Amino acid sequence: MLIPSIKQIRNLDAFTIENEPIASIDLMERAAKACSDWIIQNFSNEFEFTIICGNGNNGGDGFAIARQLMDAGYNINTFYYSSSTQSIDCKANFDKLSAISTSKIIEITDETSIKFNSKSIIIDALFGSGLNKKPEGIFASIIKAINEANTIVISIDVPSGLYADQTSEHVETIVKASYTLSFEFPKLAFLMPENQYFVGEWKILPIKLLPNFFKNEPTPNHFSLLADIKSILKNREKFAHKGTFGKALLVAGKYGMAGAAVLASKSCLKSGVGLLFVHLPKSIAQIIQISNPEAIISFDAEEDIVSSIPYQNLQQYHAIAIGPGIGTNEKTATALKMLIQNYNSPIIFDADAINILSENKTWLEFIPKYSIFTPHVKEFDRLTQNHDDSFSRLESLKQFAIKYRCICVLKGAHTAIALPNGEIYFNSTGNSGLATGGSGDLLTGIILSFLAQSYSPDKATVLGVYIHGLAADIAIDKDESPESLLPTDVISHLGRAFNFIREIDTTIH
């Protein structure tokens, strides 16, 4: 799914109006109907609704929703503040609502007339996505009253006050929605962690905008959905053998951090790799052999740390990952440097490998093309610079991938994957149960497995991130809670994740 800019969405609306063709007032009716249908499906007419409308097209949506919900037997109070001329379609829907004798339309004349019933569900149709400046005066007071009502709030398109494509620093004048009903596509702001308390649970409602528009209007931002993943995941051939699915090398672990190597190696094996070699210190080798007897072990010269990698044999591996639990010892850093110098194919850098590179940034110029980085936020900031907000960090992520011709995975609730061509893919799976030590080790192992199986680096990464999150979601749905979820639980549900994708892809002829 695409994540267009607000400008592109406006142009798409105009394109649909011209080429469907459809009158703009009818397209507004269609959008309002999508919202009304969702509300009817989720809230009975025993609830009272308060709809707050602005003067633009978002207000027009609100007036239309009010009329449609009244037709469905709902008790509706509609508030509006008319400080300027209403848009043409907003005025048309205001007039339609006003023509209904039972309509309860209340004009907000000043701050003393802002009185919202705390027992009523509020529908916010004040500004939507068209806002380009901080709400002030009476509008700031309306937003404050909405937030103080202590009730369910449903925002239409975008919570009023929130900028859709950039950082919103005026947090005191943004509606805090329980639900946000947006049209056709998510807004970029929905995926930023600082906005979760404003956006609430967001829903994308299709309104049949014409997708042909994007043939000549490319957008770099994408949201990975099941349909996208189904097109990536390969089927395993009947006569395949272990050589078919690649040979991977994982460099992981030090004394006291054997668990990172165990988790990364097990997730790699459970994701279908043909052969997995694990290079690690002697002191933890027995732990790996007992935990993962399927893995082939190579021993480091050092007892407790990784200090060297068998460089003369590196080209036999189809994929290499380094970092989980290795520490940042000077000898380990040297081993990482030698790996970069001696391996020509993409390398997956995780955890301490990233921390070492953060202290030796000149090495980044020499990493193999299409290498994959998997940092969390603090690791990424160490690798680049400190950031004050998620939008600036996202731009740095994009530029990092372009500059070093690599793929960079910024881990989080909607993990962002930046590609060397400037595109960014946000993930749609996963839950807060993954916010625990070891989850990142799993992801490294999964991506390593796909890379060894001859998936291209970009597809290996997008697929790996999605399945990692999907396995966690299935675990929560079947057996666990976010609090109880362990990385080992995610591993045990990887098989169900693969089956889920393939079963959904089954076509009945």
Side-chain angles (χ1 to χ4, degrees):
M1 178 184 286
L2 298 175
I3 308 175
S5 67
I6 294 304
K7 180 181 178 180
Q8 285 179 312
I9 291 174
R10 289 198 192 103
N11 291 341
L12 174 57
D13 285 345
F15 180 84
T16 301
I17 290 167
E18 180 179 354
N19 291 277
E20 185 173 339
I22 184 173
S24 60
I25 188 68
D26 293 330
L27 183 60
M28 181 177 285
E29 188 75 8
R30 185 190 293 174
K33 184 67 164 54
C35 295
S36 298
D37 286 348
W38 185 91
I39 292 166
I40 291 168
Q41 290 169 7
N42 289 275
F43 299 94
S44 73
N45 59 11
E46 295 176 359
F47 290 93
E48 178 183 278
F49 283 82
T50 295
I51 303 182
I52 303 163
C53 299
N55 300 315
N57 284 349
N58 194 241
D61 291 333
F63 290 125
I65 292 168
R67 171 172 41 80
Q68 292 168 1
L69 290 179
M70 286 180 63
D71 289 344
Y74 285 75
N75 183 14
I76 306 294
N77 296 302
T78 306
F79 286 77
Y80 75 101
Y81 178 73
S82 185
S83 62
S84 59
T85 303
Q86 294 173 322
S87 71
I88 294 173
D89 291 340
C90 179
K91 179 68 164 60
N93 273 313
F94 175 80
D95 291 342
K96 287 182 181 180
L97 183 63
S98 299
I100 300 174
S101 60
T102 55
S103 294
K104 290 176 281 187
I105 304 177
I106 304 101
E107 182 176 5
I108 298 172
T109 55
D110 54 38
E111 293 188 7
T112 62
S113 60
I114 306 173
K115 296 178 182 179
F116 303 141
N117 185 351
S118 62
K119 295 182 180 179
S120 178
I121 294 175
I122 292 177
I123 297 178
D124 158 37
L126 192 60
F127 292 129
S129 61
L131 190 72
N132 57 15
K133 63 180 180 179
K134 173 184 175 181
E136 296 178 339
I138 190 69
F139 295 113
S141 299
I142 292 171
I143 290 172
K144 182 179 179 182
I146 292 172
N147 290 338
E148 290 178 350
N150 193 29
T151 187
I152 295 171
V153 177
I154 302 171
S155 285
I156 306 303
D157 201 23
V158 172
S160 290
L162 183 70
Y163 296 154
D165 289 340
Q166 59 183 323
T167 300
S168 304
E169 297 178 347
H170 49 279
V171 295
E172 72 284 354
T173 52
I174 302 174
V175 166
K176 295 178 181 178
S178 311
Y179 302 93
T180 297
L181 308 184
S182 202
F183 304 121
E184 210 73 50
F185 308 100
K187 308 299 189 291
L188 195 57
F190 296 176
L191 308 174
M192 303 295 115
E194 58 263 42
N195 293 333
Q196 63 175 316
Y197 298 109
F198 306 119
V199 177
E201 185 177 342
W202 50 273
K203 306 291 183 180
I204 302 302
L205 307 180
I207 58 171
K208 300 180 182 178
L209 298 179
L210 297 181
N212 289 343
F213 168 79
F214 289 105
K215 288 182 178 179
N216 298 315
E217 276 276 347
T219 177
N221 299 319
H222 307 262
F223 191 60
S224 297
L225 298 176
L226 180 59
D228 305 307
I229 300 305
K230 287 189 293 187
S231 69
I232 296 174
L233 184 62
K234 300 175 183 179
N235 291 317
R236 291 167 74 93
E237 298 295 333
K238 176 180 178 180
F239 292 101
H241 51 81
K242 62 186 177 183
T244 306
F245 301 116
K247 185 184 294 187
L249 172 64
L250 172 66
V251 182
K254 67 172 185 174
Y255 183 75
M257 291 294 289
V262 170
L263 293 171
S265 57
K266 188 174 286 292
S267 67
C268 183
L269 289 161
K270 289 284 284 186
S271 299
V273 72
L275 287 169
L276 174 63
F277 293 75
V278 183
H279 183 79
L280 70 178
K282 294 177 181 177
S283 62
I284 64 171
Q286 189 174 7
I287 297 173
I288 306 300
Q289 287 185 313
I290 293 171
S291 302
N292 297 328
E294 302 89 349
I296 302 166
I297 307 300
S298 68
F299 303 97
D300 197 270
E302 290 282 340
E303 187 74 18
D304 296 331
I305 62 169
V306 170
S307 65
S308 61
I309 302 168
Y311 306 113
Q312 66 275 18
N313 298 320
L314 288 181
Q315 304 312 320
Q316 68 175 306
Y317 301 111
H318 299 99
I320 296 177
I322 182 170
I326 62 173
T328 57
N329 184 280
E330 186 176 343
K331 290 182 178 179
T332 306
T334 300
L336 173 61
K337 183 179 181 181
M338 294 296 293
L339 174 62
I340 293 170
Q341 292 175 343
N342 287 277
Y343 190 65
N344 300 324
S345 297
I347 300 170
I348 301 169
F349 299 101
D350 182 40
D352 285 325
I354 294 174
N355 292 330
I356 291 171
L357 287 169
S358 297
E359 297 297 322
N360 300 275
K361 293 180 181 177
T362 56
W363 299 358
L364 292 170
E365 299 288 349
F366 304 99
I367 63 169
K369 190 177 181 180
Y370 298 120
S371 288
I372 301 166
F373 291 77
T374 59
H376 56 59
V377 168
K378 288 186 178 180
E379 288 170 343
F380 180 73
D381 281 7
R382 285 195 290 268
L383 192 61
T384 54
Q385 63 185 35
N386 290 327
H387 299 87
D388 295 328
D389 61 83
S390 295
F391 277 97
S392 62
R393 185 174 291 110
L394 189 66
E395 181 60 25
S396 288
L397 181 75
K398 177 180 176 180
Q399 295 306 322
F400 182 87
I402 293 171
K403 180 177 180 179
Y404 296 111
R405 305 164 303 158
C406 68
I407 296 164
C408 196
V409 181
L410 183 61
K411 294 182 287 195
H414 289 291
T415 293
I417 303 165
L419 305 185
N421 63 1
E423 292 185 331
I424 296 178
Y425 287 78
F426 292 89
N427 190 48
S428 61
T429 59
N431 57 71
S432 61
L434 289 170
T436 188
S439 293
D441 303 321
L442 303 186
L443 179 61
T444 297
I446 295 168
I447 296 174
L448 174 63
S449 181
F450 291 144
L451 195 60
Q453 292 175 63
S454 298
Y455 286 87
S456 63
D458 56 338
K459 290 182 178 179
T461 306
V462 171
L463 178 62
V465 170
Y466 187 94
I467 285 184
H468 176 251
L470 179 60
D473 289 341
I474 293 172
I476 294 296
D477 182 58
K478 299 292 184 182
D479 306 301
E480 304 296 337
S481 71
E483 295 83 1
S484 69
L485 189 69
L486 295 174
T488 48
D489 299 321
V490 178
I491 292 173
S492 67
H493 286 83
L494 280 170
R496 286 184 175 180
F498 283 102
N499 287 340
F500 177 81
I501 295 170
R502 288 205 169 94
E503 287 167 6
I504 294 297
D505 198 29
T506 300
T507 302
I508 300 175
H509 296 284

